[in-house]
Amino acid sequence: MRGAGEPPFPVAQPAGTGGEACEDARPGPAADTPMGSERTEIRKRQMATTPETPGAAQAQLSTGNRGSNACCFCWCCCCSCSCLTVRNQEEERARRTSHELQAEGIPNCEESPAPTLEEVNAWAQSFDKLMLTPAGRNAFREFLRTEFSEENMLFWMACEELKQESNKSVIEEKARLIYEDYISILSPKEVSLDSRVREVINRNMLEPSQHTFDDAQLQIYTLMHRDSYPRFMNSAIYKDLLQSLSEKSIEA
């Protein structure tokens, strides 16, 4: 017997229309995991790659800059390296500026009559005789210029001029100029002095006098005597002058 209100026979529900059937029909989390994890991983990679791109570009730029500066030290021999070209140009400008600075403020050669044959022959006897005459100093200075060491003669001559002064203010001014031109390490005409002599000069500059640079002058004089004078005697400048005067004396 069926109760009141019950259908005469069982009614079959369509598949997927019931609550439990719908839950069973939907794919569960386990089925969704492989696809979701792959998409999540791809998304993470894209997100990780995107913000790093500007930094990576900057890193590449900085690396490229370092590479361009360091390529001079690389093992490869690149003759067309741009930084080598720039560096060579800068060094050439520095050398040109240095030579221009050396040319500025260099006094003209001393006025003197033309040397005689006897004087030129005397120069070969000793360095002292060469330095005693203006003509000898001029010829020797011309030779020093070819060796880029003319500042030694200029310094020696400046010290000689300082010794002739008696006015205190003039002595102080000339001593300051000599220091700036030939003693200071910043000067392009700096002469080569040892540390002991430099210390003496620094002490003397507290109260400059005519003899502030005596030790330095003697050291430069000795340097020219031992180093430059022998080469001057074998130079074309001296030999040509001697030959010219000898020919003139024969003609006379």
Side-chain angles (χ1 to χ4, degrees):
M1 298 269 318
R2 295 183 180 85
E6 291 182 357
F9 50 87
V11 178
Q13 295 183 354
T17 58
E20 295 178 358
C22 289
E23 292 177 0
D24 293 341
R26 286 197 302 266
D32 211 7
T33 299
M35 183 69 70
S37 61
E38 290 178 1
R39 292 178 180 175
T40 303
E41 195 66 23
I42 293 173
R43 232 180 257 119
K44 286 181 179 180
R45 292 177 182 175
Q46 292 176 347
M47 292 175 65
T49 305
T50 303
E52 289 179 359
T53 302
Q58 294 178 359
Q60 290 178 357
L61 288 174
S62 61
T63 304
N65 293 335
R66 289 197 300 268
S68 62
N69 294 331
C71 66
C72 290
F73 306 99
C74 64
W75 289 92
C76 65
C77 297
C78 180
C79 297
S80 60
C81 177
S82 60
C83 66
L84 281 176
T85 304
V86 172
R87 178 173 297 178
N88 291 336
Q89 292 174 351
E90 292 177 352
E91 291 177 354
E92 181 63 27
R93 281 196 298 268
R95 284 194 295 268
R96 191 182 308 116
T97 303
S98 176
H99 290 315
E100 290 172 356
L101 289 175
Q102 291 185 23
E104 293 178 358
I106 293 178
N108 295 326
C109 292
E110 299 175 80
E111 293 184 2
S112 66
T116 63
L117 180 60
E118 291 75 18
E119 287 178 338
V120 175
N121 281 323
W123 298 348
Q125 297 174 9
S126 71
F127 183 62
D128 293 337
K129 291 184 177 181
L130 170 68
M131 295 290 286
L132 278 175
T133 63
R137 292 193 293 269
N138 286 339
F140 187 53
R141 180 178 166 184
E142 182 182 354
F143 168 75
L144 292 178
R145 190 179 297 118
T146 64
E147 293 197 336
F148 304 100
S149 58
E150 185 183 10
E151 65 274 3
N152 291 333
M153 176 64 79
L154 297 176
F155 171 69
W156 185 88
M157 293 170 59
C159 292
E160 287 296 300
E161 292 180 3
L162 179 64
K163 291 178 181 179
Q164 307 302 320
E165 295 294 341
S166 57
N167 185 288
K168 185 177 179 180
S169 61
V170 174
I171 290 174
E172 291 178 351
E173 178 65 16
K174 285 194 173 184
R176 182 185 64 81
L177 292 175
I178 291 174
Y179 188 93
E180 291 178 355
D181 287 344
Y182 304 108
I183 308 302
S184 173
I185 60 175
L186 301 178
S187 173
K189 297 182 289 184
E190 177 194 6
V191 295
S192 178
L193 299 171
D194 60 35
S195 58
R196 180 192 65 82
V197 172
R198 287 183 176 276
E199 291 176 1
V200 172
I201 293 174
N202 290 333
R203 288 196 300 267
N204 293 341
M205 285 298 293
L206 298 176
E207 293 182 6
S209 69
Q210 300 100 316
H211 306 287
T212 296
F213 303 100
D214 281 1
D215 289 352
Q217 186 185 22
L218 177 59
Q219 190 170 94
I220 294 302
Y221 187 89
T222 303
L223 176 65
M224 292 189 295
H225 182 192
R226 294 179 179 178
D227 186 57
S228 302
Y229 173 64
R231 291 198 298 273
F232 168 71
M233 299 310 302
N234 293 318
S235 67
I237 292 176
Y238 177 74
K239 291 181 177 180
D240 291 347
L241 178 60
L242 183 62
Q243 182 179 356
S244 174
L245 293 174
S246 298
E247 292 175 353
K248 287 181 180 179
S249 65
I250 294 174
E251 293 174 358

